[in-house]
Amino acid sequence: MNRIAIPTAEQTPAASLPLLDAVKKQLGVVPNLMKLVGNSPAALEGYLSLNGALGKGALEPKTRERIALAIAEINGCSYCLSAHTYLGKNVAKLDDAEMAANRNGHSSDPKAAAAVKFAARVAQQRGHVSDVELSAVKAAGYSNAEIVEIVLHVALNTLTNYINEVAQTEIDFPKVDLKVAA
């Protein structure tokens, strides 16, 4: 049961309704996360704006999903782990072995491995990465712009992880268990 109520359509603030309608048009459904964040039209607009802007960035969709899986596991968010496992499999077309590696901060793709490892370190170290860690992601071929995007994807995923954990959002994707219960 959610600790913060997911509003019904009638309870949703009027300013959130067009944003949620746009989500439904894009995804075919409105996930519980979006409904929950829709309690605050400003929060929903901010989340959707950052997510949309990063979707136009230089990082490929598969790498973005890989990062989301790593961060969900690090932050102990079952909702996001379930959602991004579904998206990883059905949208990004990642296989089970790759997603398992991503959850551990790795990838079978050498370039993506550097991004996922760096993202994991950013989350684990709360941004206090070493010069060596930053140099490693640069050496893998990531530009300054892509490194900034990796950090912003960590922040975006941490944001959704935290709201879902605070609210204990009901999972509306096929449930995936964390490696170690948070």
Side-chain angles (χ1 to χ4, degrees), residues 31-53:
N32 283 342
L33 165 65
M34 303 299 173
K35 294 175 189 174
L36 171 70
V37 176
N39 273 301
S40 166
L44 182 59
E45 182 180 356
Y47 168 75
L48 292 173
S49 294
L50 181 56
N51 190 49

Side-chain angles (χ1 to χ4, degrees), residues 14-111:
S16 291
L17 292 173
L19 299 170
L20 294 172
D21 285 342
V23 168
K24 186 170 185 174
K25 284 179 186 162
Q26 183 180 11
L27 301 178
V29 5
V30 180
N32 283 342
L33 165 65
M34 303 299 173
K35 294 175 189 174
L36 171 70
V37 176
N39 273 301
S40 166
L44 182 59
E45 182 180 356
Y47 168 75
L48 292 173
S49 294
L50 181 56
N51 190 49
L54 288 174
K56 298 174 194 169
L59 291 179
E60 68 171 350
K62 286 184 180 206
T63 299
R64 296 192 307 255
E65 283 306 319
R66 289 172 170 125
I67 290 169
L69 288 162
I71 302 309
E73 191 71 55
I74 288 166
N75 288 331
C77 182
S78 295
Y79 184 96
C80 290
L81 183 61
S82 299
H84 288 288
T85 297
Y86 178 85
L87 293 169
K89 183 177 287 186
N90 296 294
V91 177
K93 305 298 185 197
L94 299 171
D95 64 33
D96 290 341
E98 177 64 13
M99 289 189 291
N102 302 153
R103 291 174 62 181
N104 288 310
H106 305 290
S107 174
S108 62
D109 175 278
K111 185 172 182 182

Side-chain angles (χ1 to χ4, degrees), residues 140-158:
Y142 286 96
S143 68
N144 288 337
E146 290 168 316
I147 293 167
V148 169
E149 289 179 28
I150 291 168
V151 174
L152 269 283
H153 277 286
V154 171
L156 179 68
N157 284 285
T158 298

